[in-house]
Amino acid sequence: MDKLEKSKALSLKKADAAADIKLINQYSIKELTPEDVYCFSVMLCDNDVDRDLERFTDKTLEQLAVLFVGKTGISDHRWSSDRQIARLYRAEVEETAEKNAFGEPLKRLIGSAYMLKTETTQPFIEAIEGGIIKEVSIGCAVSKTTCSICGEP
């Protein structure tokens, strides 16, 4: 499976507003209905080597699954309140049938997110559904990095 096929496969896993509305309403002041929200799933990160030759361990993916729930999704790396367009309401680690660069089972951190259905978010919703917007970038800080070959910091 090439990278494009992997991306397409990820976009097929859908969040479900009707099934998840209780989880979503934990973050709202107003009681939302499934008709008020658009839900979607995103692959946040995995245990494979990235372009910076770094990777998350399986243990770290499990820890991040807890930490990412409730976090805001922003648009275009601009840290301003007017670019907050979505919120993660669930995150879970999924093991795939694929292998990572180390020959281990590839594990992905999958997030379920929602955004309100408004005139402002409609272009985003259309771009997600049309396959135009499908990649995400996560931001996090680590307290230490360890070499996977020698085990040294």
Side-chain angles (χ1 to χ4, degrees):
M1 183 181 283
D2 67 19
K3 289 190 185 284
L4 180 60
E5 288 174 336
K6 283 170 46 174
S7 294
K8 288 179 102 175
L10 289 172
S11 66
L12 297 178
K13 181 175 179 166
K14 297 189 187 254
D16 182 349
D20 297 342
I21 198 67
K22 285 186 180 183
L23 292 172
I24 292 166
N25 274 318
Q26 293 178 58
Y27 302 100
S28 65
I29 295 172
K30 169 188 168 185
E31 189 76 15
L32 299 171
T33 68
E35 294 75 32
D36 294 327
V37 297
Y38 175 75
C39 294
F40 58 101
S41 295
V42 294
M43 200 274 284
L44 298 164
C45 55
D46 60 29
N47 67 346
D48 209 353
V49 178
D50 67 15
R51 66 177 178 247
D52 295 320
L53 302 177
E54 300 169 331
R55 74 181 196 117
F56 292 107
T57 64
D58 293 353
K59 179 181 176 185
T60 301
L61 290 177
E62 294 291 343
Q63 293 169 328
L64 288 173
V66 175
L67 294 174
F68 276 129
V69 174
K71 298 300 184 255
T72 302
I74 61 171
S75 176
D76 296 332
H77 290 132
R78 294 192 321 199
W79 292 80
S80 66
S81 62
D82 68 325
R83 300 306 287 177
Q84 295 180 11
I85 59 169
R87 182 162 310 278
L88 290 166
Y89 63 88
R90 178 179 44 231
E92 53 198 4
V93 177
E94 160 187 284
E95 186 171 324
T96 72
E98 300 169 63
K99 301 289 184 195
N100 67 16
F102 294 99
E104 303 166 340
L106 180 65
K107 295 183 180 180
R108 298 177 174 135
L109 179 55
I110 304 295
S112 297
Y114 77 95
M115 63 176 62
L116 297 176
K117 290 181 183 177
T118 67
E119 287 181 27
T120 304
T121 60
Q122 190 58 36
F124 288 101
I125 293 169
E126 290 173 6
I128 291 167
E129 289 182 341
I132 304 302
I133 296 176
K134 57 199 256 181
E135 286 82 25
V136 299
S137 174
I138 64 165
C140 63
V142 297
S143 59
K144 68 176 184 169
T145 58
T146 306
C147 177
S148 61
I149 298 170
C150 69
E152 293 294 317

